[in-house]
């Protein structure tokens, strides 16, 4: 399953965006031989399980030029790198505490000549910056994640949707989200027809501010 699965759902990509997406597979296959950041099964279905899954966020929230997005626990660069390809005028910071994973991100970013991505080897709590949105793929249960990113979201929103968290999750989230009355859940199966997305969701959690 190649990059064409992405083009099916995002038909208005530029030639350069299509080129970058096609190049992802070779870059990840090459780096995965040196540093295992994606499982063998997943590397064979890279565009379904990683790229298109990451871009599900774009079906829920488009990012405006100049907006700043933080990808927490990015691993090998998901969802940040596919989103950075899709939104070249937005700025993405990809953070992970594991150095070898950020090394792969740095090399992929260089290979794609992505100028809107800053890879950071750090724990998110140590970042001294604020962002419009924080994205991630299920690195922790929501209460833990919210604690990690406290104080990292800008107060002023430039999008119609209030600044907050966009979290790729799966399964039954009722218990995990019971204390977040403002959370919204979007089913990825509403946007993508492949079986893989049947249980996959995006949770949007707007951040509350006092005053």
């Amino acid at each position: 399953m190649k990059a064409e699965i992405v083009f099916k759902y995002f038909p208005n990509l530029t030639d350069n965006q299509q080129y970058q997406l096609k190049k992802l597979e070779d870059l990840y296959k090459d780096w995965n031989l040196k540093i295992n950041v994606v499982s063998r099964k997943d590397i064979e279905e890279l565009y379904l399980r990683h790229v298109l899954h990451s871009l599900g966020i774009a079906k829920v929230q488009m990012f405006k030029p100049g907006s700043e997005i933080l990808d927490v626990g990015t691993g090998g660069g998901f969802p940040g790198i596919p989103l950075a390809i899709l939104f070249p005028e937005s700025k993405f910071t990809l953070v992970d505490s594991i150095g070898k994973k950020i090394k792969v991100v740095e090399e992929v970013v260089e290979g794609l000549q992505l100028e809107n991505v800053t890879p950071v080897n750090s724990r998110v709590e140590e970042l001294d910056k604020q962002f419009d949105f924080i994205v991630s793929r299920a690195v922790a249960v929501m209460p833990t994640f919210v604690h990690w990113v406290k104080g990292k979201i800008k107060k002023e929103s430039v999008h119609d949707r209030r600044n907050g968290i966009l979290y790729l999750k799966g399964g039954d989230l009722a218990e995990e989200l019971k204390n977040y009355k403002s959370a919204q859940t979007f089913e990825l199966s509403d946007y993508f027809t492949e079986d893989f997305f049947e249980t996959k969701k995006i949770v949007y959690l707007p951040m509350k501010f006092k005053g």
Side-chain angles (χ1 to χ4, degrees):
M1 202 170 284
K2 302 298 181 184
E4 282 69 26
I5 191 175
V6 179
F7 305 160
K8 177 174 77 170
Y9 291 108
F10 296 91
N12 299 319
L13 298 171
T14 65
D15 290 345
N16 188 52
Q17 286 171 320
Q18 290 192 14
Y19 167 76
Q20 289 173 322
L21 286 165
K22 286 179 178 176
K23 197 172 180 181
L24 277 178
E25 184 174 44
D26 287 341
L27 286 168
Y28 277 107
K29 281 188 171 177
D30 182 45
W31 273 98
N32 221 45
L33 294 173
K34 305 168 193 173
I35 301 170
N36 188 21
V37 292
V38 180
S39 73
R40 185 174 296 175
K41 182 177 181 182
D42 280 6
I43 204 80
E44 294 304 320
E45 296 193 50
L46 183 75
Y47 289 103
L48 174 72
R49 292 171 172 261
H50 293 279
V51 180
L52 194 57
H53 189 211
S54 297
L55 293 178
I57 288 173
K59 292 294 188 184
V60 172
Q61 178 65 53
M62 304 289 282
F63 299 123
K64 289 187 175 182
S67 59
E68 297 188 88
I69 293 93
L70 172 65
D71 176 7
V72 175
T74 188
F78 301 101
I81 285 177
L83 288 170
I85 292 172
L86 199 65
F87 299 104
E89 295 182 11
S90 299
K91 298 172 185 175
F92 291 82
T93 299
L94 277 55
V95 64
D96 203 289
S97 61
I98 300 173
K100 68 177 184 179
K101 291 184 177 180
I102 286 296
K103 169 70 173 171
V104 173
V105 171
E106 289 171 343
E107 296 295 337
V108 171
V109 165
E110 186 177 325
L112 297 175
Q113 294 185 302
L114 283 173
E115 296 179 356
N116 61 333
V117 176
T118 304
V120 179
N121 179 204
S122 171
R123 294 173 67 227
V124 65
E125 298 96 320
E126 294 163 3
L127 286 185
D128 185 22
K129 191 172 179 185
Q130 291 188 322
F131 302 84
D132 296 284
F133 285 98
I134 296 178
V135 300
S136 189
R137 288 209 304 178
V139 291
V141 293
M142 189 61 87
T144 302
F145 190 77
V146 168
H147 176 71
W148 287 350
V149 302
K150 188 176 181 181
K152 300 289 188 287
I153 297 175
K154 293 178 184 179
K155 189 171 184 177
E156 298 297 325
S157 297
V158 297
H159 300 83
D160 291 339
R161 180 176 276 126
R162 196 153 38 127
N163 293 352
I165 293 168
L166 293 162
Y167 207 32
L168 289 158
K169 295 280 279 180
D172 184 357
L173 304 177
E175 181 66 23
E176 190 174 328
L177 298 177
K178 68 180 181 181
N179 294 325
Y180 300 100
K181 306 303 181 192
S182 60
Q184 288 179 265
T185 302
F186 300 86
E187 305 284 341
L188 282 181
S189 57
D190 289 344
Y191 307 101
F192 306 135
T193 59
E194 286 74 18
D195 291 346
F196 175 73
F197 296 106
E198 273 185 16
T199 61
K200 301 289 190 288
K201 302 174 176 69
I202 292 173
V203 178
Y204 163 61
L205 184 64
M207 299 310 288
K208 295 176 184 172
F209 294 97
K210 293 174 183 174

